[in-house]
Amino acid sequence: MDLEARGHSEHPEALRLWLRLLTCTQLIEKQVRTQLRERFDTTLPRFDLMSQLERSPDGLKMNELSRRMMVTGGNVTGITDQLVTEGLVERLPVEGDRRSFRIRLTPLGRQSFDDMARQHEAWIVQAFGSLNLAQIENLHQLLGMVKQQNSQVSPDSANNPPPEENP
Amino acid sequence: MDLEARGHSEHPEALRLWLRLLTCTQLIEKQVRTQLRERFDTTLPRFDLMSQLERSPDGLKMNELSRRMMVTGGNVTGITDQLVTEGLVERLPVEGDRRSFRIRLTPLGRQSFDDMARQHEAWIVQAFGSLNLAQIENLHQLLGMVKQQNSQVSPDSANNPPPEENP
DNA sequence: TATTGTTATACTCTATAACTATA
DNA sequence: TATAGTTATAGAGTATAACAATA
């Protein structure tokens, strides 16, 4: 766990910050992936897709899911296929465009997601348990500036609208 | 790019922070991976392995590399094999234990890494370009608390020493 | 017996590009 | 001609477990 050994520059502040950011994310992400696998026999991308749908009761189109999850369309098809097979999501027609679908959580999928989300939140609260509320909000605000900067220079920024903030 | 839609709790501060942290890391990591591939025909784990070695002129043993890179031993063997084939790193004997090797950068590997590291730093400076120095150090310090918290509860914390800080 | 490292294997995730159907 | 989604493929990345050599 010494990713931060990568810092070696003469102006190392940004580099050190990046390595620490990466270390923190990997530590937490590894825990989340392990728990999702062991407790719910699922994966982070599957959980991610379901959580996108949880916020959109009317469903989302494939290309919208692809944009939000930051992966290409073929992958969304694959993950969606799995979840459809398990009865957790469904493809619904879009009136007026027979090429498109709305992907939506089924009642079973919503129940399943709610169970996972409750546990997931507890893991995350634990992960940030050493910070008080002011520190959490300070971090959130600073990372907001980082997010904005890197959304603008993202490789396909020409096609994508800027990232949306949620209330 | 709406990973943050995953926040849905009634006590959402930690969750929102996590989703933003994940988004920021993914945005920057995607850029770094793409650049490493396009400009240097290499990958992040290869770069990571070389950067670990760059800080240890006498080399590192396989299990130490495995620990620092947070991946299992078999993977380190595979990446090391690639880099040995390309003449970038070498396996040297460890006196007193014929089971072990020291993995070390070759002169060619050091030169290659220095080239990449220079570019890499520029990408990272750009990624955090919207923050001033005080904000960078503030972020670094707050994430230090997160790192410490999650190193302690890491799945194999029984075997691993706590994370090391670099000067 | 325990440890170091390797090999073999399988699976998830990903991007790319060709393809089908519809607009 | 363009767009929405699928299929096919290849490769990265990872974990697991069995294995060999040495301690």
Side-chain angles (χ1 to χ4, degrees):
Chain A
M1 192 163 336
D2 200 4
L3 215 58
E4 302 190 14
R6 282 179 8 193
H8 69 290
S9 158
E10 298 181 13
H11 295 290
E13 298 84 9
L15 204 46
R16 280 203 326 213
L17 171 55
W18 166 237
L19 299 174
R20 179 160 287 180
L21 184 64
L22 196 52
T23 298
C24 286
T25 301
Q26 287 182 356
L27 284 169
I28 299 173
E29 196 175 334
K30 240 174 230 285
Q31 293 177 62
V32 170
R33 284 185 197 272
T34 301
Q35 301 271 28
L36 283 175
R37 179 166 33 81
E38 290 180 354
R39 302 202 184 191
F40 299 107
D41 193 27
T42 193
T43 66
L44 195 50
R46 286 166 52 115
F47 181 76
D48 189 13
L49 193 152
M50 292 178 76
S51 66
Q52 297 296 342
L53 296 182
E54 197 255 352
R55 273 300 199 74
S56 298
D58 295 334
L60 292 171
K61 293 198 298 180
M62 296 297 280
N63 59 6
E64 180 64 16
L65 271 174
S66 170
R67 186 184 71 78
R68 297 193 184 198
M69 295 174 68
M70 301 192 246
V71 298
T72 53
N75 303 309
V76 177
T77 296
I79 298 172
T80 300
D81 285 348
Q82 293 175 25
L83 295 173
V84 167
T85 301
E86 298 174 28
L88 300 172
V89 310
E90 56 192 344
R91 287 182 170 89
L92 300 172
V94 166
E95 52 183 292
D97 189 343
R98 285 188 298 170
R99 297 171 304 178
S100 288
F101 304 101
R102 286 149 47 222
I103 314 301
R104 197 175 65 177
L105 284 180
T106 64
L108 177 62
R110 180 167 298 273
Q111 179 189 322
S112 168
F113 178 76
D114 287 346
D115 287 348
M116 291 191 289
R118 204 170 2 256
Q119 298 278 323
H120 177 260
E121 184 187 346
W123 307 332
I124 299 306
V125 167
Q126 163 80 13
F128 293 103
S130 56
L131 303 181
N132 63 36
L133 186 55
Q135 290 170 323
I136 288 179
E137 292 185 340
N138 188 6
L139 254 180
H140 188 262
Q141 186 256 326
L142 289 168
L143 290 173
M145 299 172 66
V146 177
K147 176 179 171 180
Q148 190 177 5
Q149 167 91 3
N150 290 279
S151 301
Q152 286 163 356
V153 299
S154 121
D156 49 359
S157 60
N159 302 332
N160 287 357
E164 297 140 25
E165 284 301 325
N166 298 300
Chain B
M1 193 161 336
D2 201 3
L3 214 59
E4 302 191 12
R6 283 180 6 194
H8 69 289
S9 159
E10 299 180 14
H11 295 290
E13 297 84 8
L15 204 45
R16 282 203 327 215
L17 171 56
W18 165 236
L19 299 174
R20 179 159 287 180
L21 184 64
L22 195 51
T23 298
C24 285
T25 301
Q26 286 182 355
L27 283 169
I28 299 174
E29 197 174 331
K30 242 176 229 283
Q31 293 177 60
V32 170
R33 283 184 197 273
T34 301
Q35 301 272 27
L36 283 176
R37 179 166 33 81
E38 290 181 353
R39 303 203 184 191
F40 298 107
D41 192 30
T42 193
T43 66
L44 194 50
R46 287 167 52 115
F47 181 76
D48 188 12
L49 192 152
M50 291 177 77
S51 67
Q52 297 295 342
L53 297 183
E54 197 254 353
R55 272 304 200 69
S56 299
D58 295 334
L60 292 170
K61 293 198 297 178
M62 297 298 281
N63 60 7
E64 181 64 15
L65 272 173
S66 171
R67 187 184 71 79
R68 297 192 184 198
M69 295 174 67
M70 299 193 246
V71 297
T72 53
N75 303 308
V76 177
T77 297
I79 298 171
T80 300
D81 285 347
Q82 293 174 25
L83 296 173
V84 166
T85 300
E86 299 174 29
L88 300 171
V89 310
E90 56 192 345
R91 286 181 169 91
L92 300 171
V94 166
E95 51 183 292
D97 189 343
R98 283 188 300 171
R99 297 171 305 179
S100 289
F101 304 102
R102 284 148 50 220
I103 315 299
R104 196 174 67 175
L105 284 180
T106 64
L108 177 63
R110 180 167 298 273
Q111 179 190 321
S112 167
F113 178 75
D114 288 345
D115 288 347
M116 293 191 290
R118 208 172 356 257
Q119 298 277 324
H120 177 261
E121 183 186 347
W123 309 331
I124 299 307
V125 167
Q126 163 80 12
F128 292 102
S130 55
L131 303 181
N132 63 34
L133 185 55
Q135 291 170 322
I136 288 179
E137 293 184 341
N138 189 5
L139 255 179
H140 188 261
Q141 186 257 325
L142 290 168
L143 290 173
M145 298 171 67
V146 177
K147 175 178 172 179
Q148 189 178 6
Q149 168 90 2
N150 290 280
S151 301
Q152 286 163 356
V153 300
S154 123
D156 50 359
S157 60
N159 302 332
N160 288 357
E164 298 141 27
E165 285 301 325
N166 298 301

